[in-house]
């Protein structure tokens, strides 16, 4: 008898439409001979939809943003004893908070950008103090958002306040980060009880100011897999990503983004525990480059929970 799989998409953030695209990708990838899968849209505290999840054998969360990427939905599924194929409550909530995650990993020797956190309604440094501390250009973005919504590359002190207000539209916390210059790359990994898999590294090249929404979703980027980097750097990135996976206590597929500076130093940008899953997203690209199929990978992740 086939297992019933719910692909949960939607959510309550600006990434709603991105989530629906990922869900369509997963539904197309999943092995139809083994599973009956359908997409379930969740918005807000919809108890009818949440209760419906009890009808399924397994849940694949592909909500980018709250409540699927920050651990809230995972907590409900844990209480209802419904298996799911991504990070649990602690790992999801930690990685969703970029500032907390980067500082946690920095304590284990992972290089990250200089940064500071701003909270809505709290005293914060002046624009001049932020520029002095981080240098210009710097990045100002939501601490709990994704897909580059509310993200600004700030080049002038007089633009700092506007960038902060834009970022606050995505949530109550804003992270300001110093600029890291170099080659941007990204690497996906996953683990099961039987194996650990690090995918080929992807190089991200765009003429935009940074890897913004248009670069991510409107084709204004070259994504080169495998990346044009020395084998030694590739190996370090894959090993670092796997180490991050273990330090955080991840499950399912994660993706970590990095900058390789001219001197070869590797700095973490962020960890994504609900990576995009459209046909052209990084993870499917990397899976193909590894000689695997997304169907195989998803089967690994689903069966690992039983």
């Amino acid at each position: 008898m086939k297992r019933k799989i719910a692909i949960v998409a939607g959510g309550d953030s600006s990434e709603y439409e991105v989530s629906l695209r990922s869900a369509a990708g997963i539904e197309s990838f999943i092995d139809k001979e083994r599973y009956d899968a359908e997409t379930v849209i969740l918005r807000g505290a919809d108890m009818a939809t949440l209760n419906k999840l009890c009808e399924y054998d397994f849940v694949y969360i592909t909500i980018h943003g709250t409540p699927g990427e920050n651990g809230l939905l995972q907590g409900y599924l844990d209480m209802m004893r419904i298996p799911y194929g991504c990070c649990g409550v602690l790992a999801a909530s930690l990685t969703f908070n970029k500032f907390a995650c980067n500082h946690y990993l920095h304590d284990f020797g992972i290089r990250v950008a200089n940064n500071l956190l701003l909270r809505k309604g709290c005293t914060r440094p002046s624009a001049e103090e932020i520029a002095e501390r981080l240098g210009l250009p710097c990045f100002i973005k939501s601490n709990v958002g994704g897909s580059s919504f509310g993200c600004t590359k700030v080049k002038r002190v007089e633009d700092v306040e506007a960038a902060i207000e834009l970022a606050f539209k995505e949530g109550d916390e804003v992270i300001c980060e110093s600029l890291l210059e170099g080659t941007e790359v990204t690497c996906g990994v996953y683990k099961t009880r039987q194996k650990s898999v690090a995918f080929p590294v992807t190089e991200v090249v765009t003429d935009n100011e940074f890897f913004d929404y248009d670069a991510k979703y409107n084709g204004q980027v070259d994504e080169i897999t495998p990346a044009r980097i020395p084998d030694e750097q590739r190996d370090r990135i894959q090993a670092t990503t796997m180490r991050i996976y273990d330090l955080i206590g991840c499950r399912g597929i994660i993706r970590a983004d990095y900058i390789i500076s001219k001197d070869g130093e590797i700095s973490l940008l962020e960890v994504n525990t609900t990576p995009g899953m459209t046909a052209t997203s990084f993870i499917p690209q990397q899976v193909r480059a590894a000689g695997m199929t997304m169907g195989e990978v998803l089967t690994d992740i689903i069966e690992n929970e039983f």
Side-chain angles (χ1 to χ4, degrees):
M1 186 174 178
K2 294 181 182 180
R3 298 193 198 276
K4 291 184 63 179
I5 311 297
I7 304 164
V8 183
D12 305 317
S13 76
S14 298
E15 296 183 272
Y16 178 85
E17 294 296 335
V18 178
S19 172
L20 298 187
R21 291 162 67 178
S22 285
I26 292 169
E27 193 165 348
S28 71
F29 298 140
I30 208 160
D31 186 346
K32 308 301 190 302
E33 297 298 317
R34 299 187 64 147
Y35 308 111
D36 285 327
E38 65 177 352
T39 297
V40 177
I41 307 298
L42 177 65
R43 296 211 81 167
D46 181 353
M47 288 310 301
T49 302
L50 290 171
N51 289 337
K52 182 181 178 181
L53 296 181
C54 297
E55 302 171 7
Y56 296 88
D57 300 307
F58 179 91
V59 170
Y60 196 104
I61 300 172
T62 187
I63 293 175
H64 306 308
T66 189
E69 199 170 4
N70 57 0
L72 296 181
L73 180 55
Q74 289 88 331
Y76 173 82
L77 296 174
D78 284 341
M79 289 191 295
M80 302 306 292
R81 299 184 180 179
I82 303 170
Y84 56 91
C86 62
C87 288
V89 174
L90 178 59
S93 59
L94 175 61
T95 54
F96 191 66
N97 187 306
K98 300 176 181 68
F99 182 83
C101 185
N102 283 4
H103 278 261
Y104 170 78
L105 292 172
H106 182 261
D107 286 345
F108 290 95
I110 306 295
R111 291 173 60 94
V112 298
N114 293 330
N115 54 66
L116 58 88
L117 181 69
L118 310 178
R119 286 194 173 96
K120 188 173 288 187
C122 297
T123 302
R124 65 190 193 217
S126 67
E128 290 75 17
E129 289 171 324
I130 292 172
E132 182 177 355
R133 178 167 170 177
L134 301 179
L136 293 176
C138 70
F139 282 99
I140 296 177
K141 58 187 178 181
S142 171
N143 191 44
V144 292
S147 293
S148 298
F149 286 109
C151 180
T152 307
K153 183 178 181 180
V154 178
K155 299 179 180 180
R156 305 184 308 162
V157 173
E158 51 265 44
D159 295 332
V160 167
E161 290 297 335
I164 291 171
E165 293 309 313
L166 179 65
F168 270 134
K169 291 180 179 180
E170 299 297 317
D172 290 341
E173 293 185 349
V174 167
I175 184 172
C176 307
E177 292 183 323
S178 60
L179 173 67
L180 295 173
E181 295 188 286
T183 302
E184 183 168 351
V185 297
T186 186
C187 178
V189 303
Y190 77 99
K191 283 190 173 187
T192 67
R193 289 185 295 272
Q194 287 76 36
K195 60 187 175 183
S196 300
V197 178
F199 297 130
V201 177
T202 299
E203 180 181 350
V204 182
V205 182
T206 180
D207 290 330
N208 295 8
E209 281 286 349
F210 61 96
F211 190 46
D212 59 10
Y213 184 91
D214 283 331
K216 286 182 170 81
Y217 303 113
N218 293 328
Q220 297 177 12
V221 65
D222 290 323
E223 299 168 356
I224 303 164
T225 309
R228 302 168 299 180
I229 57 176
D231 290 351
E232 179 271 335
Q233 289 182 354
R234 176 204 63 204
D235 294 345
R236 272 199 292 152
I237 289 164
Q238 290 176 324
T240 299
T241 308
M242 199 62 75
R243 182 167 176 248
I244 287 170
Y245 193 102
D246 292 339
L247 288 171
I248 294 173
C250 295
R251 283 162 45 200
I253 303 172
I254 74 161
R255 199 192 76 231
D257 305 334
Y258 303 90
I259 290 288
I260 307 172
S261 63
K262 289 182 180 179
D263 62 5
E265 292 288 354
I266 297 170
S267 299
L268 175 70
L269 293 175
E270 64 178 85
V271 180
N272 190 328
T273 59
T274 312
M277 286 292 177
T278 69
T280 58
S281 295
F282 288 126
I283 293 297
Q285 287 182 50
Q286 293 174 4
V287 168
R288 289 192 295 271
M292 306 169 70
T293 70
M294 280 301 304
E296 293 168 350
V297 172
L298 293 174
T299 296
D300 280 348
I301 290 167
I302 294 168
E303 295 303 317
N304 190 60
E305 299 303 317
F306 295 97

